[in-house]
Amino acid sequence: MKPYDQLLRDCILINNYWASADRRFPVMNPATGDLIAEVADADTNHVVEAIGAAAVAFETWGKTTARSRSLILKKWYQLVMQHTDALASLLTAEQGKPFTEAKGEVIYGASFIEWYAEECRRTYGETIPAPVAGKRLLTIKQPVGVVAAITPWNFPVAMITRKIAPALAAGCTVVLKPAEDTPLSALALASLAIEAGIPPGVLNVLPTSDAASIGKVLCTHPVVKKISFTGSTEVGKILMEQCASTVKRLSLELGGNAPVIVFDDADIMVAVKGTLASKYRNAGQTCVCANRIFVQQKIYPDFISRYREAVAELNVGNGATENVQIGPLINEAGINKVRRLLFDATEKGAEVITGGGTHPAGGLFFEPTIITNCNDSMLLSREEIFGPVSAIYVFNDEHEVVRLANKTEYGLAAYIFTQDINRAWRVAEQLEHGMIGINEGIISHAEAPFGGMKESGFGKEGGYYGIEEYLETKYLCIGGV
Ligand code: NAP
């Protein structure tokens, strides 16, 4: 008996009905290689059916009061919180992150449901002073309609609630396609949503091994009014093209290449702790992970020696066991990418000072690694590493490091460590990244806008910005008053 058995669902969810399918696909535990479940594999017929169910449900859900939606979402939030341990153990089993980190993700994921349960009661329109007599100008906010959400494997709970909570709160209905590697957390969340009273058709979930075909229907179907996607920039571009045919609204939370900048005047332990938190969370598999660590010349020797000590204390192993900070990478492709980037960097002069290879814990485990002497000719200065590898660069002055930090097509998160408030302002304003951590390595909260610039995408998740993504602002002009 596993702690998550009660929440384990292996079917497609359409109209609050758990449907089977002709085909099934396996979901494996990346730490052990064990099979967790064989999940019904949605095909394009299921997508059309789910879109139809969501369209019918929108007729009523879109017209319910904000208060009644709020009450259901609050109930969902409470259920998720009550099942934190079970959800976290399922998350660890299918994704690999350590149990404490998985628990943190469940609580963080739930915070979006709570926040939007509250925020939906404040989606105010406005009255606008008219420029001529006899007219009254105002705006109202209305749900955009049927929304499709496509989410990645690295946060199998939070990337879903960050989209679905504001969408449902706004009055939209949803068709969700979770990642093939991690559909079980999505299905477990949906089972709790049903228990909370989400009506049939309001939330539909399509686990699938055929993302491209399912994605194409979602992007081109005229009934779907918006796509919200989190994933790679490469796939984001495909979806953007597909959405053009029906001029769909889009939110794209894409890849990152986060610079961390440690200035000479930083509090060294704050910088070490913040960089470590940003780099090694989820074994380095987050879009906001430190990808390039720039350290100023004077503080460099001290930073390296303390950072190395801190990295040496990270325990690698199965996330389901106690006192583990680094779990496995998600799959073979993930570990091959890390190896390829490391090989390229060392060929071009990088020096491995800690780690550098696979970990004895098993095939998908990689040692926490630090490489120094990095430069911008290396592939890892351009691509997301998505593994537990710290790439360290040295810099001389502020002007130089701002230029280097911006030398990427990505623009998601960046981090600055300095005790000079003027410098913090100056540099934060110049960085072409959507989120800036200042003396802080963990920056995302339900209350704040998460999102990127440049090829990291557009649209915000979190805060009052997040619900706007699912609302139309309609303008009314009343004449003859
Ligand atoms: P991915 O390969 O782009 O996949 C993301 C989602 O898109 C998955 O559900 C995937 O399904 C689906 N997908 C893949 N190809 C598709 C297609 N042709 N049409 C429609 N859907 C398609 O990314 P990933 O490897 O899962 O996730 C890691 C990436 O996500 C990184 O680049 C990371 O930076 C980014 N990310 C960004 C944020 C953010 O907020 N900006 C947050 C987390 C992650 P399958 O799983 O079945 O392939």
Side-chain angles (χ1 to χ4, degrees):
M1 181 84 183
K2 297 273 197 307
Y4 52 74
D5 278 351
Q6 194 202 338
L7 291 179
L8 200 61
R9 300 287 181 280
D10 59 3
C11 286
I12 296 161
L13 180 68
I14 299 177
N15 236 346
N16 283 9
Y17 174 75
W18 296 102
S20 198
D22 298 339
R23 289 175 305 153
R24 293 195 157 255
F25 66 92
V27 179
M28 315 296 284
N29 181 325
T32 61
D34 294 342
L35 178 74
I36 308 171
E38 297 220 330
V39 178
D41 199 348
D43 59 29
T44 50
N45 293 324
H46 292 111
V47 195
V48 174
E49 201 188 327
I51 293 171
V56 172
F58 180 66
E59 293 298 316
T60 30
W61 183 254
K63 296 190 182 83
T64 51
T65 63
R67 183 166 185 274
S68 59
R69 293 196 299 274
S70 171
L71 290 174
I72 295 176
L73 287 171
K74 277 183 186 157
K75 178 82 184 136
W76 189 23
Y77 164 72
Q78 284 154 4
L79 285 168
V80 171
M81 292 302 286
Q82 276 164 27
H83 292 84
T84 300
D85 281 7
L87 284 166
S89 67
L90 182 59
L91 204 170
T92 295
E94 69 172 344
Q95 200 274 341
K97 69 178 64 176
F99 179 70
T100 14
E101 217 179 299
K103 244 177 120 164
E105 180 183 337
V106 173
I107 293 165
Y108 165 71
S111 73
F112 287 92
I113 307 177
E114 184 189 34
W115 169 268
Y116 287 108
E118 294 160 351
E119 192 61 12
C120 67
R121 300 181 69 182
R122 292 187 280 271
T123 54
Y124 308 125
E126 59 186 354
T127 54
I128 302 160
V132 289
K135 281 186 173 178
R136 298 292 180 269
L137 319 183
L138 55 134
T139 63
I140 57 171
K141 303 277 175 142
Q142 293 181 303
V144 300
V146 174
V147 169
I150 302 178
T151 53
W153 51 264
N154 63 345
F155 289 91
V157 167
M159 294 305 103
I160 288 174
T161 56
R162 228 161 69 164
K163 299 184 186 311
I164 288 180
L168 299 185
C172 298
T173 54
V174 173
V175 177
L176 166 70
K177 193 219 83 63
E180 179 182 352
D181 286 317
T182 59
L184 300 174
S185 298
L187 296 168
L189 279 173
S191 75
L192 294 174
I194 295 173
E195 198 179 326
I198 294 282
V202 169
L203 172 59
N204 308 277
V205 186
L206 303 173
T208 183
S209 66
D210 186 4
S213 307
I214 269 58
K216 189 157 188 199
V217 179
L218 291 172
C219 288
T220 52
H221 201 294
V223 167
V224 176
K225 293 294 181 279
K226 160 149 191 149
I227 298 278
S228 179
F229 172 73
T230 298
S232 61
T233 296
E234 189 190 349
V235 172
K237 288 179 182 176
I238 297 173
L239 303 188
M240 206 169 169
E241 262 187 59
Q242 291 176 348
C243 282
S245 64
T246 49
V247 195
K248 256 186 233 332
R249 273 181 70 165
L250 257 176
S251 295
L252 296 176
E253 298 283 352
L254 308 178
N257 182 1
V260 168
I261 307 174
V262 181
F263 286 102
D264 282 341
D265 60 17
D267 176 321
I268 185 124
M269 285 324 289
V270 169
V272 167
K273 213 172 130 215
T275 308
L276 198 78
S278 161
K279 176 69 248 183
Y280 289 100
R281 196 156 60 109
N282 202 9
Q285 304 169 108
T286 88
C287 53
V288 291
C289 270
N291 210 54
R292 295 167 295 154
I293 303 168
F294 297 103
V295 186
Q296 203 164 5
Q297 228 166 20
K298 218 164 83 197
I299 202 173
Y300 181 80
D302 211 10
F303 179 87
I304 289 290
S305 97
R306 290 177 197 233
Y307 191 63
R308 202 173 175 174
E309 276 168 32
V311 171
E313 283 176 18
L314 296 172
N315 286 322
V316 179
N318 183 339
T321 56
E322 292 228 339
N323 203 23
V324 160
Q325 287 89 34
I326 307 283
L329 297 191
I330 188 69
N331 52 32
E332 203 64 39
I335 209 144
N336 288 340
K337 179 177 188 188
V338 172
R339 282 207 200 97
R340 174 176 64 81
L341 293 180
L342 255 184
F343 178 77
D344 170 80
T346 48
E347 285 282 289
K348 291 174 181 161
E351 189 191 341
V352 179
I353 62 162
T354 300
T358 40
H359 190 275
L364 295 183
F365 292 88
F366 204 84
E367 291 176 316
T369 297
I370 305 176
I371 55 172
T372 55
N373 209 21
C374 294
N375 63 55
D376 62 10
S377 74
M378 298 170 184
L379 290 175
L380 50 63
S381 74
R382 299 193 288 277
E383 294 183 30
E384 292 183 289
I385 302 171
F386 251 59
V389 177
S390 293
I392 317 263
Y393 305 66
V394 194
F395 72 94
N396 293 307
D397 62 51
E398 192 179 303
H399 179 74
E400 176 198 7
V401 80
V402 167
R403 185 183 58 78
L404 289 170
N406 288 338
K407 199 176 168 192
T408 166
E409 68 268 28
Y410 293 111
L412 195 56
Y415 307 86
I416 311 165
F417 291 91
T418 174
Q419 293 188 83
D420 178 342
I421 183 80
N422 299 321
R423 167 176 274 161
W425 268 110
R426 221 169 32 235
V427 175
E429 286 178 358
Q430 291 177 80
L431 289 175
E432 296 163 356
H433 297 264
M435 297 172 284
I436 315 288
I438 301 171
N439 297 320
E440 181 55 64
I442 302 288
I443 55 177
S444 177
H445 299 284
E447 293 78 1
F450 190 104
M453 298 162 60
K454 304 198 290 189
E455 293 196 18
S456 289
F458 47 80
K460 301 288 177 199
E461 294 187 333
Y464 69 83
Y465 308 86
I467 200 162
E468 288 290 330
E469 301 284 333
Y470 299 96
L471 291 167
E472 293 286 359
T473 299
K474 192 180 278 178
Y475 161 57
L476 311 183
C477 176
I478 307 170
V481 180

